[in-house]
Amino acid sequence: MERDDIFKAIQSAVEDTPLFIIGSGSSAAHHLPGMGLLGGHLLTQLDSKYTGTACWDTFRENLRNGADLETALLGVTLTQEMLIDVKCETWNLISSKDLELFDRILFDNEKLPLSRLIRKFYQAHPRKVDIITTNYDRVIEYACDSVGLPVSTGFEGCYQKRFAGAFPSKDTINLLKVHGSLDVFRDAHDVVVSVPMLRELRPGLVPEIITPGRSKFEAILQGTPRQILSAADERIGQAASFLCIGYGFNDTQVQENIVSRIRTGVPIVVVTQTVFDSAAHLLANNAKHYISIQEGMMPGTTEICIDRTIEILDGTFWTVDGFMDIID
């Protein structure tokens, strides 16, 4: 295919405002820690406390044998105390890096490519973009703030917010954080509350985030996470197309309904540095119309797969900025 034909195919796939699915790959560009760094951090902070406990020792050996964090925790049932410590240390690591990014945005004028992308799709009537993310961080919120776009997360209030589950039908960026947020906690009375931009954890507050492993499958089906997942599923069922940014297709509960929709012919476009084999097989075996855009094997090239046909282009189109060069 000629370059112009490739670009037209991509433009056509997201012509109607797509449902955004944003994963950790979009945050990695801003030096936020991924699962590898998080696994090392958990061992550094908690190994001396829990070494000698069978489930923890299994987790540690899984990591040391090369398993990623998700896999290392899948076959392990951590105690409630361990789960709370894992949540707190996960929050400590990601929050510190997230706040460093916020400082760079404020004082060093760091730009967020997502700002340009989200703003483009927000311009169409009724000026609404729905975003589902598995990330805890606030990169999407920062990106929207940078260009003056309103964000709805389902929580209402100013500084001590409660979950109301309201996601407007116009004039908003609906942000559904299905695995929780750095801003959301469970307090000493077992009430979920959103307290924006805390610099450190306080006694009585446990981060309401869903960490990798066996406990994730139970946690996402309870309380506030279940309500957010239900709202996400509703939007998946209505989506005209899907635009996945830095998303690796590692969350069965999140993507189950996406797979059902793409089997019916709903277009899906995946933009990421690397499309791993598991994601490539999922798309090829289920989607009637899909496009994946990833870094090419040669420097300065991009590999674009359109319905199993692979094209190689000169240029960097697998980044958000590069993708914008295609659709803007």
Side-chain angles (χ1 to χ4, degrees):
M1 293 177 67
E2 296 294 327
R3 175 183 288 227
D4 285 349
D5 293 329
I6 294 171
F7 283 11
K8 287 177 182 177
I10 296 169
Q11 293 162 4
S12 176
V14 294
E15 184 176 10
D16 295 323
T17 301
L19 174 61
F20 283 51
I21 314 292
I22 297 183
S24 59
S26 68
S27 298
H30 303 288
H31 310 295
L32 269 72
M35 289 297 172
L37 286 176
L38 178 56
H41 176 81
L42 293 176
L43 289 185
T44 299
Q45 298 300 316
L46 300 176
D47 196 47
S48 61
K49 180 177 181 179
Y50 291 118
T51 190
T53 306
C55 58
W56 184 265
D57 289 348
T58 300
F59 165 57
R60 181 182 61 243
E61 290 308 306
N62 287 344
L63 281 180
R64 289 179 175 173
N65 289 333
D68 60 78
L69 183 60
E70 181 90 28
T71 303
L73 283 167
L74 269 181
V76 179
T77 301
L78 300 181
T79 66
Q80 188 63 26
E81 181 184 6
M82 289 177 186
L83 281 174
I84 290 174
D85 280 347
V86 166
K87 287 184 177 186
C88 291
E89 287 303 331
T90 298
W91 188 93
N92 285 334
L93 176 64
I94 297 177
S95 178
S96 65
K97 298 301 182 182
D98 179 277
L99 292 171
E100 288 177 9
L101 170 62
F102 186 58
D103 286 346
R104 295 198 303 272
I105 295 169
L106 283 180
F107 304 115
D108 299 332
N109 201 32
E110 180 164 331
K111 301 299 182 184
L112 302 178
L114 278 176
S115 298
R116 182 180 165 204
L117 177 65
I118 297 170
R119 181 172 59 183
K120 173 182 175 57
F121 286 103
Y122 180 75
Q123 293 170 352
H125 180 77
R127 301 210 311 169
K128 177 179 73 75
V129 175
D130 292 325
I131 300 175
I132 298 171
T133 183
T134 52
N135 299 345
Y136 314 132
D137 61 60
R138 292 172 285 246
V139 172
I140 299 169
E141 292 95 313
Y142 297 155
C144 292
D145 276 356
S146 295
V147 289
L149 299 180
V151 178
S152 301
T153 62
F155 288 83
E156 293 182 354
C158 275
Y159 300 108
Q160 189 173 345
K161 303 182 180 184
R162 306 291 184 182
F163 187 72
F167 294 100
S169 58
K170 63 179 181 178
D171 299 328
T172 188
I173 307 299
N174 285 319
L175 178 57
L176 295 93
K177 304 183 82 166
V178 292
H179 285 173
S181 169
L182 294 176
D183 288 336
V184 180
F185 308 88
R186 191 171 290 273
D187 68 16
H189 303 289
D190 206 33
V191 174
V192 174
V193 58
S194 176
V195 185
M197 304 297 285
L198 283 186
R199 292 268 165 181
E200 61 181 24
L201 280 176
R202 295 302 195 123
L205 288 182
V206 176
E208 184 72 344
I209 58 179
I210 296 174
T211 52
R214 181 178 292 176
S215 63
K216 178 174 78 172
F217 301 101
E218 179 181 352
I220 200 171
L221 296 178
Q222 297 180 357
T224 303
R226 179 173 183 170
Q227 292 174 269
I228 294 175
L229 181 61
S230 177
D233 284 342
E234 181 181 346
R235 281 151 180 80
I236 291 170
Q238 299 168 349
S241 62
F242 299 101
L243 175 57
C244 303
I245 306 293
Y247 182 68
F249 294 91
N250 295 316
D251 300 281
T252 304
Q253 290 159 308
V254 174
Q255 67 204 38
E256 181 179 6
N257 288 342
I258 297 174
V259 172
S260 295
R261 294 299 314 286
I262 63 178
R263 285 173 178 162
T264 69
V266 176
I268 183 168
V269 176
V270 177
V271 182
T272 188
Q273 183 171 13
T274 303
V275 178
F276 292 106
D277 288 346
S278 57
H281 292 155
L282 182 146
L283 293 170
N285 292 331
N286 292 282
K288 286 190 175 180
H289 181 35
Y290 74 93
I291 300 173
S292 64
I293 304 171
Q294 65 175 323
E295 185 176 21
M297 295 184 66
M298 298 296 293
T301 65
T302 298
E303 178 183 303
I304 299 177
C305 181
I306 302 178
D307 300 335
R308 300 178 184 82
T309 299
I310 295 176
E311 306 284 351
I312 306 297
L313 296 182
D314 289 331
T316 305
F317 299 109
W318 53 269
T319 65
V320 173
D321 280 333
F323 181 69
M324 288 301 298
D325 290 340
I326 296 175
I327 65 170
D328 215 4

